[in-house]
Amino acid sequence: QKLMSVGYLFFPVWQCDKLDIYLSDMESNGYRLIGTSFLGFMHFRKSAPKKVRYFSTYTCVKEHSMNGIEDVLRSRYKANPIPTAVGTRNVHRVTDIEADFSELEEIRKKAMPRIIGERLFLSLVPLIGILLFCIRIRLTLLTWIFSILIMLALTYYTTGMLSVLIRHADKGR
């Protein structure tokens, strides 16, 4: 079977419903999501077109409000989790296209402000440190911008890895 990798797909946290629709459309066109990798790269495998639904969840560092959603997806809807390299976004594949996710979508919607706030906070902490460091050693503007981009990528990756560690710790209880 042919593997197709799609470049980085930008779906902000608050547009998770659009990501779910996009992934469902890809499978109905014959491309099944088989995993995601670092920074949101998605990998698909050519398959027979099938009507399915995808549901994405996000992990907060502070609270684990979406872990309950994932349990319901697996137990009630027999959802298959898609392997992800970075644990802040988790995607589940549900073959029951008539499933009513309205309760889960409401819980996800209520958790979004907290998730966005924590991501912003975790991104700003290193940026403030970089800014102070650059001012202190008087770096050029181009060097400063490059440093910020590197720190944003590292913050995104670190936040994801921290979420994975928290999730595995919770499963061990």
Side-chain angles (χ1 to χ4, degrees), residues 42-60:
M42 298 195 176
H43 307 282
F44 297 87
R45 178 168 285 133
K46 184 75 173 141
S47 64
K50 188 174 183 180
K51 292 283 186 191
V52 299
R53 291 184 63 191
Y54 283 86
F55 194 89
S56 50
T57 60
Y58 295 84
T59 303
C60 294

Side-chain angles (χ1 to χ4, degrees), residues 37-121:
S37 57
F38 182 66
L39 291 179
F41 286 89
M42 298 195 176
H43 307 282
F44 297 87
R45 178 168 285 133
K46 184 75 173 141
S47 64
K50 188 174 183 180
K51 292 283 186 191
V52 299
R53 291 184 63 191
Y54 283 86
F55 194 89
S56 50
T57 60
Y58 295 84
T59 303
C60 294
V61 174
K62 181 179 167 187
E63 294 184 23
H64 315 292
S65 57
M66 294 220 182
N67 288 351
I69 291 177
E70 293 176 355
D71 293 340
V72 170
L73 282 167
R74 285 191 292 272
S75 63
R76 188 184 309 166
Y77 301 107
K78 308 296 184 242
N80 299 315
I82 305 297
T84 56
V86 178
T88 57
R89 176 190 296 157
N90 300 297
V91 181
H92 294 79
R93 181 177 180 272
V94 180
T95 56
D96 180 8
I97 61 170
E98 301 299 322
D100 180 20
F101 291 148
S102 57
E103 178 186 351
L104 301 179
E105 288 169 345
E106 187 64 30
I107 295 169
R108 179 172 70 180
K109 183 179 176 182
K110 287 180 181 176
M112 281 300 149
R114 183 173 46 253
I115 293 169
I116 293 168
E118 288 180 5
R119 284 188 174 193
L120 285 173
F121 175 75

Side-chain angles (χ1 to χ4, degrees), residues 112-132:
M112 281 300 149
R114 183 173 46 253
I115 293 169
I116 293 168
E118 288 180 5
R119 284 188 174 193
L120 285 173
F121 175 75
L122 290 172
S123 296
L124 289 177
V125 169
L127 290 178
I128 292 170
I130 288 175
L131 177 63
L132 294 174

